[in-house]
Amino acid sequence: MSRRSIILLITLALVLSIVSAVYAQEDALPDRAGSRGVPAGLEGLKLAEPLQMDGIDAATIQSGVAAEGDGSVIIRLVTPSVSEQKVRGKSAEQAKNVIEAEQADLLGEILAMDPNARVLGQVQVVMNAIFVEVDAAILPALAGNPAVQRIAPVANYEMDLSETVPYIGATAVQNAGYDGTGVRVAVLDSGIDYYHAAFGGSGDPADYAADDPTIIEPGTFPTAKVVGGYDFVGSVWPGGPEMPDPDPLDDGPEAGHGTHVGHIIGGSGGVAPGVDLYAVKVCSSVSTSCSGVALIMGMEFAADPDGNG
């Protein structure tokens, strides 16, 4: 079996309670030796039970949505997302186009009812949803639209890091001789300091200090190890609005968590030092908060980095 066919199970350090249900299959890792994704002799590492999430409110307007005033909500549409439709290639592209058109129609209705509404983000692959900051007074009428499945408050999260190598069975994988070569891992966190020596950077603090985290200086990013990524929050949120930019540098007074996690996953001496890393910045530069909007936008980026569905 080629080592490039091995998919390493990486447990991200973010503990998420995303508003959508968690979908998992009991046979996510095949039992037979030599099957795609499982090295021979390591078949027993699959989850004993599928992941489940209970207690999701079935009402169209989920509890927790503000009854009045402006608030940020996620609006899920009835049409299944691209991933839920299980389509690929041109069919996936067409499915995404259909969903985008439906979302545009719904946004037109929202803006007609609340001209001051602000679109925070849209996703079509990981789920069919739009994020808006909107006057809560229009939500009951919006809930009556047959295209709307659920309206829920946008939740933000806190970063958390724990010992992961033994928990995910990485010791057994390393002992079997696999280093992750050929695997791409998106790290949804506070960004990555791609100047760090652990990622093949210069290791010079002066280079990091001179970087403008809102732009990509020529020749700095991407690198041989951190091969791509995007910043979905910017450097001021939650003290100001999310201000996405193309540079996912782990910057600011709260910098370090994403770099730490990226190093554990695929840096020099990490769990899988052969992987290519994508720095997807969804957590704040100035606090430990992680934006609920940015998290799902980051998942969408990781699932569809070239944007074609």
Side-chain angles (χ1 to χ4, degrees):
M1 175 192 298
S2 170
R3 293 189 180 185
R4 290 182 177 272
S5 69
I6 303 303
I7 297 177
L8 300 180
L9 175 62
I10 302 296
T11 300
L12 296 179
L14 293 172
V15 179
L16 307 179
S17 297
I18 302 301
V19 296
S20 61
V22 175
Y23 297 100
Q25 296 180 353
E26 186 172 1
D27 293 327
L29 299 181
D31 286 329
R32 61 187 184 279
S35 296
R36 180 182 181 275
V38 184
L42 298 177
E43 302 86 354
L45 295 179
K46 74 174 186 177
L47 292 173
E49 297 291 339
L51 299 174
Q52 300 290 340
M53 180 178 286
D54 300 320
I56 298 298
D57 191 336
T60 301
I61 301 181
Q62 185 172 313
S63 60
V65 175
E68 58 183 23
D70 290 345
S72 299
V73 296
I74 174 174
I75 303 173
R76 296 195 63 178
L77 283 72
V78 172
T79 300
S81 67
V82 175
S83 61
E84 290 170 325
Q85 294 183 42
K86 298 181 175 65
V87 289
R88 293 177 179 272
K90 285 293 184 182
S91 295
E93 187 174 355
Q94 292 167 0
K96 182 173 181 178
N97 290 339
V98 169
I99 292 172
E100 287 177 335
E102 292 176 348
Q103 291 181 355
D105 289 343
L106 184 61
L107 286 172
E109 179 179 337
I110 291 171
L111 290 170
M113 291 190 288
D114 179 8
N116 295 318
R118 186 166 67 97
V119 180
L120 304 176
Q122 299 172 244
V123 293
Q124 300 85 31
V125 178
V126 295
M127 65 173 67
N128 179 1
I130 59 177
F131 302 88
V132 291
E133 185 178 84
V134 67
D135 185 347
I138 76 167
L139 295 181
L142 192 61
N145 187 315
V148 173
Q149 181 184 68
R150 181 173 302 159
I151 301 172
V154 170
N156 298 318
Y157 303 86
E158 294 295 318
M159 295 185 290
D160 187 22
L161 185 63
S162 60
E163 295 296 331
T164 59
V165 175
Y167 178 77
I168 65 175
T171 302
V173 176
Q174 290 174 337
N175 290 342
Y178 299 101
D179 71 352
T181 297
V183 176
R184 294 173 293 175
V185 179
V187 183
L188 277 70
D189 207 300
S190 62
I192 292 178
D193 173 11
Y194 43 80
Y195 291 102
H196 199 289
F199 302 104
S202 68
D204 186 346
D207 292 339
Y208 173 85
D211 186 279
D212 180 345
T214 65
I215 62 172
I216 297 176
E217 287 85 354
T220 63
F221 179 79
T223 71
K225 168 57 65 175
V226 188
V227 300
Y230 199 81
D231 179 356
F232 287 95
V233 287
S235 298
V236 299
W237 182 88
E242 290 102 332
M243 299 175 65
D245 64 68
D247 187 352
L249 185 69
D250 191 1
D251 72 309
E254 290 295 333
H257 192 276
T259 300
H260 187 182
V261 172
H263 187 192
I264 290 173
I265 294 171
S268 165
V271 171
V275 303
D276 291 330
L277 294 174
Y278 285 75
V280 185
K281 184 174 177 179
V282 298
C283 298
S284 174
S285 298
V286 295
S287 79
T288 59
S289 297
C290 303
S291 165
V293 173
L295 277 162
I296 298 181
M297 296 295 290
M299 293 177 195
E300 182 87 348
F301 173 87
D304 185 22
D306 59 6
N308 69 356

